């Protein structure tokens, strides 16, 4: 807890809050002040939350803060599982509620700012379904969804550009460097022009150099085009392979695609769909409705006591004993008709269970196929040519960088060669000047020897150099003494001023030091008391939390057990009621009542099914008897159809050749033959 408070105080003292708190001040804040600090932190995350707490109703404040925290995905603490207690703590400014919120918010302020910014555009408006039936509202809502998707795409592209490493500062530096290089190049070009103007046929040489540069650039562009065409060829080959694979799969699937197999498949699908619509789905819907009715009935029943539960248990025991007696009577009677019916019932139940299991497997397979197709579409959309285009742009950018580096390297190398050439020229100039100087010195020495004053020039130069050094030293000595005297005076005056200015401050500092020692001692004592008290309260709180948690778990188990027993008793009561009605109808002397029993209904259904089976067997027998004759008649009709098609083709062919009369005679002969 202390570490949490330290972190909160440190973050609040920093930018942009600047609260200047310490631990004691922060811990002694009033609830309204603590709630205002929480609102300031939320306003830093979302500027729309900037408001004075005192000017707003508490219910509105709690609603606003809880909605924002829910949008920021703040999770309640383990000891604050109840939303009402959390809202109550916000209203009252409870430290146990606000401190964890501040700690969570201050840890991730930049991420929460981004989430709050995105939530303004990505949290969709909830429109009731009845309003969406209106065409205008539906179109507007679809446009709104399209705008939200467009915002997602643009925001993703913006984040990619921000993280791609290209910032405005780098671009500006590159531009300034390029401008400097441009100025240097202009100067070098002017310098080279001046040098080249003195060379004969320099225009022809410049023309040849220009053509060489153009050819090199053309060669580079052709190399880039070649690389791009290679990439396009590779992509085309990959597309061809995918198309061939798809064609192969389609051919394999269409291998048995004759009309009979297609009709057979369609009939099977129609049978399956009719079974799903007419039998399986209505049964599931009816079972769900019954479950909902049972649950609603259980929920509407009042709470049961121990006496009611005992009464239900006694009734259940009585019903169980009656059921056992009925089973014994049935076994003693041993009716053969019932034995046959049980066999048919078992077979029918087995077949129905198989149909239900196969229908469930088919449903799962269809769902798996739909998910697989969806994943395949997503992967195809993800592997779209946009990624290849992005990859190509990155390649172009890399090539451009390498080219700029290469040109810079060539420029530096050329400058280095020019500097080496200039260095050689300067060395040669220095050597020539040294030779000239030596020749002049030899001539001067010869003249001095002739005049009889050899060494005069060297002596004069040495005397001038010594006199210049002496004058410089004298000037330095004089300046040094003057500066030292002025500096001493200035330092003495500064020392006096500082002493006079610091005298009252030193007196005040002594009293403050004594006060500081007293406060530090008092602070140490208060701190130890606070820590001991906080440790005791923390241990008591943890014990109480454990006890409350254990009691809540026990209460939840008891509630589950109670609801389970209540539901089971309701189900057993319904079964008992149904058994009593069946028994009453079965024992009743009225034949109309007996006809309403489940046994009579099942007997009636079995008789109807037997009659239907007999009728179907007779129809099957008739179909088998007439099958051969019908097939022979179909064959004769098929032969006649082929013969007529052949005659029609011969007639069209003869008509095209201009011999219609011969064809008519031939057809007449054929008819006579037939």
């Amino acid at each position: 807890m202390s570490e949490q408070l330290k972190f909160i105080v440190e973050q609040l003292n920093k930018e942009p809050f600047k609260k200047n708190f310490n631990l004691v001040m922060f811990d002694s804040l009033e609830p309204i002040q603590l709630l205002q600090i929480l609102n300031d932190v939320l306003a830093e995350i979302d500027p729309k939350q900037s408001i004075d707490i005192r000017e707003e109703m508490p219910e509105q404040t709690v609603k606003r803060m809880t909605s924002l925290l829910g949008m920021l995905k703040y999770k309640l603490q383990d000891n604050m599982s109840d939303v009402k207690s959390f809202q109550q703590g916000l209203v009252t400014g409870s430290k146990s509620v606000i401190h964890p919120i501040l700690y969570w918010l201050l840890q991730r302020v930049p991420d929460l700012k981004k989430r709050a910014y995105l939530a303004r555009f990505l949290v969709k408006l909830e429109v009731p379904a009845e309003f969406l039936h209106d065409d205008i509202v539906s179109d507007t809502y679809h446009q709104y969804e399209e705008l939200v998707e467009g915002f997602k795409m643009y925001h993703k592209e913006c984040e990619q550009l921000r993280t791609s490493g290209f910032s405005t500062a780098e671009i500006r530096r590159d531009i300034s460097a390029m401008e400097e290089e441009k100025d240097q190049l202009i100067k070098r070009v002017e310098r080279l022009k001046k040098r080249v103007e003195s060379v004969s046929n320099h225009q022809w040489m410049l023309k040849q150099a220009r053509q060489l540069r153009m050819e090199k650039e053309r060669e580079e562009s052709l190399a880039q085009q070649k690389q791009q065409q290679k990439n396009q060829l590779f992509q085309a080959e990959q597309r061809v392979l995918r198309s061939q694979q798809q064609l192969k799969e389609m051919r394999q699937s269409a291998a048995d695609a004759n009309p009979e197999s297609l009709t057979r498949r369609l009939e099977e699908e129609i049978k399956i769909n009719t079974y799903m619509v007419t039998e399986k789905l209505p049964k599931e819907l009816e079972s769900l409705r019954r479950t909902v009715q049972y649950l609603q009935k259980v929920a509407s029943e009042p709470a049961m006591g121990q006496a009611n539960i005992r009464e239900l248990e006694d009734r259940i025991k009585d019903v169980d004993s009656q059921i056992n007696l009925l089973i014994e009577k049935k076994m003693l009677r041993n009716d053969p008709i019932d034995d046959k019916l049980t066999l048919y019932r078992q077979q029918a139940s087995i077949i129905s269970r198989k149909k239900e299991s196969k229908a469930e497997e088919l449903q799962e397979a269809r769902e798996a196929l739909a998910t697989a197709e969806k994943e395949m579409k997503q992967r195809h959309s993800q592997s779209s040519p946009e990624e290849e285009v992005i990859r190509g742009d990155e390649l172009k950018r890399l090539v451009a960088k390498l080219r700029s580096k290469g040109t810079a390297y060539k420029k530096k190398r050329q400058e280095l060669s020019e500097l080496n050439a200039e260095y050689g020229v300067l060395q040669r100039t220095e050597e020539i000047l040294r030779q000239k100087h030596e020749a002049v010195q030899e001539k001067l020495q010869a003249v001095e020897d002739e005049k009889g004053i050899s060494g005069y020039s060297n002596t004069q130069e040495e005397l001038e150099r010594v006199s210049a050094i002496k004058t410089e030293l004298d000037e330095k000595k004089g300046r040094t003494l003057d500066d030292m005297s002025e500096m001493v005076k200035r330092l003495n005056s500064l020392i006096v001023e500082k002493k006079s200015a610091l005298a009252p401050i030193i007196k005040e500092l002594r009293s403050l030091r004594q006060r500081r020692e007293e406060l530090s001692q008092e602070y140490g004592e208060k701190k130890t008391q606070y820590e001991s008290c906080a440790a005791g309260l923390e241990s008591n709180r943890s014990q109480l939390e454990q006890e409350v948690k254990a009691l809540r778990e026990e209460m939840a188990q008891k509630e589950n057990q109670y609801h389970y027993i209540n539901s089971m008793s309701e189900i057993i009561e319904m079964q008992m009621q149904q058994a009593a009605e069946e028994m009453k109808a079965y024992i009743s002397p009225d034949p109309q009542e007996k006809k309403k029993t489940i046994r009579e209904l099942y007997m009636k259904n079995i008789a109807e099914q037997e009659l239907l089976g007999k009728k179907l067997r007779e129809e099957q027998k008739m179909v088998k008897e007439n099958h051969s004759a019908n097939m022979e008649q179909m064959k004769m009709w098929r032969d006649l159809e082929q013969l007529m098609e052949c005659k029609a083709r011969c007639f069209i062919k003869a008509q095209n050749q201009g011999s219609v009369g011969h064809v008519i005679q031939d057809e007449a002969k054929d008819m006579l033959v037939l």
Side-chain angles (χ1 to χ4, degrees), residues 200-239:
S200 60
N201 63 8
H202 64 279
Q203 293 293 336
W204 179 81
M205 293 174 69
L206 289 173
K207 185 178 180 181
Q208 295 296 324
R210 192 178 298 110
Q211 289 180 357
L212 177 62
R213 180 173 53 78
M214 291 172 66
E215 291 297 328
K216 285 184 178 180
E217 291 178 355
R218 185 184 174 194
E219 183 181 0
E220 290 178 358
S221 65
L222 289 173
Q224 290 180 4
Q225 291 178 4
K226 183 179 178 182
Q227 186 64 31
Q228 290 177 0
Q229 289 177 359
K230 282 183 179 179
N231 294 332
Q232 292 175 1
L233 178 62
F234 177 73
Q235 295 168 9
E237 289 176 353
Q238 294 294 325
R239 286 196 292 271

Side-chain angles (χ1 to χ4, degrees), residues 230-261:
K230 282 183 179 179
N231 294 332
Q232 292 175 1
L233 178 62
F234 177 73
Q235 295 168 9
E237 289 176 353
Q238 294 294 325
R239 286 196 292 271
V240 168
L241 290 174
R242 287 198 296 268
S243 301
Q244 289 177 354
Q245 185 67 23
Q246 291 177 0
L247 180 62
K248 186 177 178 182
E249 292 175 357
M250 292 174 70
R251 284 177 178 173
Q252 289 177 358
S253 62
D256 57 345
N258 51 1
E260 294 177 357
S261 63

Side-chain angles (χ1 to χ4, degrees), residues 60-76:
Q60 295 177 357
T61 304
V62 172
K63 185 177 179 181
R64 178 172 55 81
M65 288 186 177
T66 51
S67 62
L68 181 59
L69 290 173
M71 185 183 67
L72 298 176
K73 297 181 179 179
Y74 173 72
K75 294 181 180 179
L76 298 179

Side-chain angles (χ1 to χ4, degrees), residues 26-233:
F26 182 77
D27 195 37
S28 61
L29 287 174
E30 296 293 329
I32 189 68
Q33 295 175 346
L34 194 60
L35 200 60
Q36 183 64 48
I37 290 171
L38 175 60
N39 191 77
D40 293 340
V41 176
L42 293 175
E44 179 62 25
I45 294 170
D46 187 5
K48 293 191 293 184
Q49 306 296 324
S50 180
I51 193 171
D52 193 355
I53 297 296
R54 294 169 295 183
E55 298 175 0
E56 192 179 29
M57 296 296 292
E59 294 82 7
Q60 295 177 357
T61 304
V62 172
K63 185 177 179 181
R64 178 172 55 81
M65 288 186 177
T66 51
S67 62
L68 181 59
L69 290 173
M71 185 183 67
L72 298 176
K73 297 181 179 179
Y74 173 72
K75 294 181 180 179
L76 298 179
Q77 302 294 324
D78 295 334
N79 55 352
M80 295 296 293
S81 58
D82 191 7
V83 179
K84 290 184 178 179
S85 60
F86 176 76
Q87 292 178 353
Q88 188 67 27
L90 276 179
V91 171
T92 58
S94 176
K95 295 179 182 179
S96 60
V97 175
I98 295 177
H99 285 178
I101 298 173
L102 286 173
Y103 182 73
W104 185 80
L105 292 174
L106 293 172
Q107 278 182 328
R108 43 183 73 85
V109 170
D111 296 334
L112 295 178
K113 279 185 179 180
K114 184 178 178 182
R115 186 176 295 173
Y117 168 75
L118 294 175
R120 286 191 297 170
F121 306 99
L122 298 182
V123 175
K124 291 186 178 180
L125 299 173
E126 293 296 330
V127 179
E130 57 267 21
F131 293 112
L132 290 175
H133 293 298
D134 190 1
D135 294 334
I136 298 173
V137 176
S138 179
D139 294 337
T140 307
Y141 190 74
H142 287 309
Q143 291 177 3
Y144 167 72
E145 289 180 343
E146 290 175 359
L147 290 172
V148 170
E149 295 296 328
F151 175 78
K152 288 181 183 177
M153 183 178 65
Y154 292 135
H155 180 71
K156 191 181 292 182
E157 291 178 358
C158 181
E159 290 295 326
Q160 289 177 357
L161 289 173
R162 285 178 180 172
T163 57
S164 61
F166 292 94
S167 62
T168 56
E170 291 179 356
I171 294 170
R172 286 174 182 172
R173 285 198 295 270
D174 293 338
I175 291 170
S176 61
M178 291 169 70
E179 288 178 351
E180 291 178 358
E181 290 179 359
K182 180 182 176 183
D183 295 335
Q184 293 177 1
L185 286 172
I186 291 170
K187 292 178 182 178
R188 287 181 59 194
V189 167
E190 291 177 354
R191 190 166 61 249
L192 290 172
K193 279 183 180 179
K194 290 179 181 179
R195 288 185 182 180
V196 170
E197 285 176 356
S198 60
V199 180
S200 60
N201 63 8
H202 64 279
Q203 293 293 336
W204 179 81
M205 293 174 69
L206 289 173
K207 185 178 180 181
Q208 295 296 324
R210 192 178 298 110
Q211 289 180 357
L212 177 62
R213 180 173 53 78
M214 291 172 66
E215 291 297 328
K216 285 184 178 180
E217 291 178 355
R218 185 184 174 194
E219 183 181 0
E220 290 178 358
S221 65
L222 289 173
Q224 290 180 4
Q225 291 178 4
K226 183 179 178 182
Q227 186 64 31
Q228 290 177 0
Q229 289 177 359
K230 282 183 179 179
N231 294 332
Q232 292 175 1
L233 178 62

Side-chain angles (χ1 to χ4, degrees), residues 257-497:
N258 51 1
E260 294 177 357
S261 63
L262 289 173
T263 53
R264 197 182 303 115
R265 288 180 190 171
L266 289 172
E267 287 175 356
E268 290 177 356
E269 288 183 1
I270 290 167
K271 288 179 181 178
I272 291 167
N273 290 328
T274 52
Y275 169 73
M276 295 285 288
V277 172
T278 57
E279 295 184 15
K280 186 175 184 300
L281 293 176
K283 286 180 181 177
E284 291 180 355
L285 185 61
E286 188 63 29
S287 65
L288 290 172
R289 283 176 181 170
R290 279 200 222 98
T291 306
V292 170
Q293 288 176 0
Y294 287 148
L295 293 173
Q296 286 177 353
K297 191 172 182 181
V298 169
S300 62
E301 287 290 332
M304 296 179 67
Q306 194 68 27
N308 295 328
I309 294 170
R310 287 202 192 104
E311 185 180 354
L312 288 173
E313 288 176 353
D314 295 336
R315 290 175 64 185
I316 290 165
K317 288 178 182 178
D318 295 337
V319 172
D320 288 337
S321 62
Q322 291 176 7
I323 291 168
N324 292 327
L325 289 172
L326 291 172
I327 292 169
E328 289 176 359
K329 288 179 182 179
K330 185 178 179 182
M331 291 174 69
L332 290 171
R333 190 174 58 187
N334 196 7
D335 192 355
I337 297 172
D338 289 339
D339 294 338
K340 290 180 182 179
L341 289 175
T342 53
L343 179 62
Y344 289 134
R345 286 170 187 166
Q346 289 176 359
Q347 290 178 356
S349 63
I350 290 167
I351 290 168
S352 63
R353 282 198 296 270
K354 284 184 179 179
K355 285 174 71 176
E356 289 177 358
S357 64
K358 294 297 180 184
E360 289 176 357
E361 290 178 0
L362 178 63
Q363 190 69 22
E364 291 175 357
R366 284 180 177 176
E367 290 176 358
L369 179 63
T371 54
E373 288 178 352
K374 188 176 180 181
E375 289 179 359
M376 186 176 71
K377 287 180 182 178
Q378 288 178 357
R379 289 181 180 177
H380 279 304
S381 63
Q382 288 175 1
S383 62
S384 60
E386 293 179 0
E387 294 183 356
E388 298 172 359
V389 172
I390 292 169
R391 211 175 288 122
D393 292 338
E394 291 178 357
L395 183 62
K396 288 180 182 179
R397 196 178 297 150
L398 181 61
V399 170
K401 279 187 177 181
L402 291 174
R403 191 183 300 160
S404 63
K405 296 289 184 183
T407 53
Y409 170 72
K410 290 178 182 178
K411 290 174 183 177
K412 298 296 182 184
R413 189 172 180 181
Q414 190 174 0
E415 288 180 359
L416 184 62
S417 61
E418 290 177 357
L419 290 172
N420 288 327
E422 290 180 0
Y423 177 69
V425 172
L426 291 172
Q427 280 185 340
R428 179 61 179 166
T429 305
E430 183 184 5
E431 187 177 354
I432 292 168
L433 292 173
R434 190 181 293 112
Q435 290 176 0
K436 288 182 178 179
H437 179 67
E438 290 176 355
V440 170
Q441 289 291 333
E442 289 177 358
K443 288 181 180 179
L444 181 61
Q445 190 69 27
V447 171
E448 288 177 354
D449 291 338
E450 288 178 0
K451 300 296 184 179
I453 51 173
S454 61
Y456 175 75
S457 59
N458 294 331
T459 306
Q460 188 176 3
E461 289 176 359
E462 188 68 24
L463 288 172
E464 289 176 356
R465 186 173 65 79
V466 171
S467 62
I469 291 170
K470 184 176 180 300
T471 53
E472 288 178 2
L473 288 173
D474 292 338
E475 289 176 357
K476 284 182 181 179
K477 285 180 181 179
R479 285 199 301 270
T480 304
L481 292 172
D482 295 336
D483 292 339
M484 287 175 70
S485 61
E486 289 178 0
M487 189 182 294
V488 169
K489 291 179 181 178
R490 208 165 42 246
L491 289 172
N492 289 326
S493 61
L494 285 171
I495 289 167
V496 172
E497 290 176 359

